[in-house]
Amino acid sequence: MQDQNVKLAAVKALNNALEFASRNFEVDTERDYIMQVICEACSQGTEEVKEYAYQCLSRIAEVIDIYFLRWTMSSEFAPQLYYVRLP
């Protein structure tokens, strides 16, 4: 359960700090890693972790839209998005 609490805290923190993380989205490898972790959180863990991960994914698309668009167009998109499933 402690692992789930850490995941929840991490997703909440990223969600609240997206404006500050925008530079990380400019670097492909950093953006890809962040998106991979968020996508995995959308399907793994407690319902609360999944809920906040979906909120974070939505917020990334809203706040950092150009980098989200680049990510969806990249070759890395399909494997990472595989983890995102509707409940």
Side-chain angles (χ1 to χ4, degrees):
M1 185 63 176
Q2 183 179 10
D3 183 47
Q4 296 303 309
N5 290 336
V6 171
K7 282 184 183 181
L8 180 60
V11 171
K12 284 182 175 182
L14 178 60
N15 197 19
N16 291 328
L18 278 177
E19 289 82 5
F20 301 107
S22 63
R23 287 198 181 238
N24 298 96
F25 281 83
E26 294 174 9
V27 179
D28 290 349
T29 55
E30 292 179 23
R31 180 201 61 223
D32 291 347
Y33 181 74
I34 292 168
M35 294 304 295
Q36 176 185 348
V37 171
I38 293 298
C39 289
E40 289 172 359
C42 286
S43 65
Q44 300 172 359
T46 65
E47 293 302 312
E48 190 176 21
V49 169
K50 292 177 190 177
E51 177 183 344
Y52 279 98
Y54 276 110
Q55 288 177 10
C56 190
L57 191 60
S58 173
R59 201 134 181 278
I60 289 169
E62 176 185 334
V63 174
I64 310 178
D65 58 348
I66 188 68
Y67 302 111
F68 185 78
L69 180 61
R70 281 189 199 162
W71 174 75
T72 59
M73 302 295 276
S74 75
S75 61
E76 300 295 319
F77 172 66
Q80 293 172 8
L81 195 60
Y82 172 78
Y83 291 104
V84 179
R85 297 183 185 128
L86 295 176

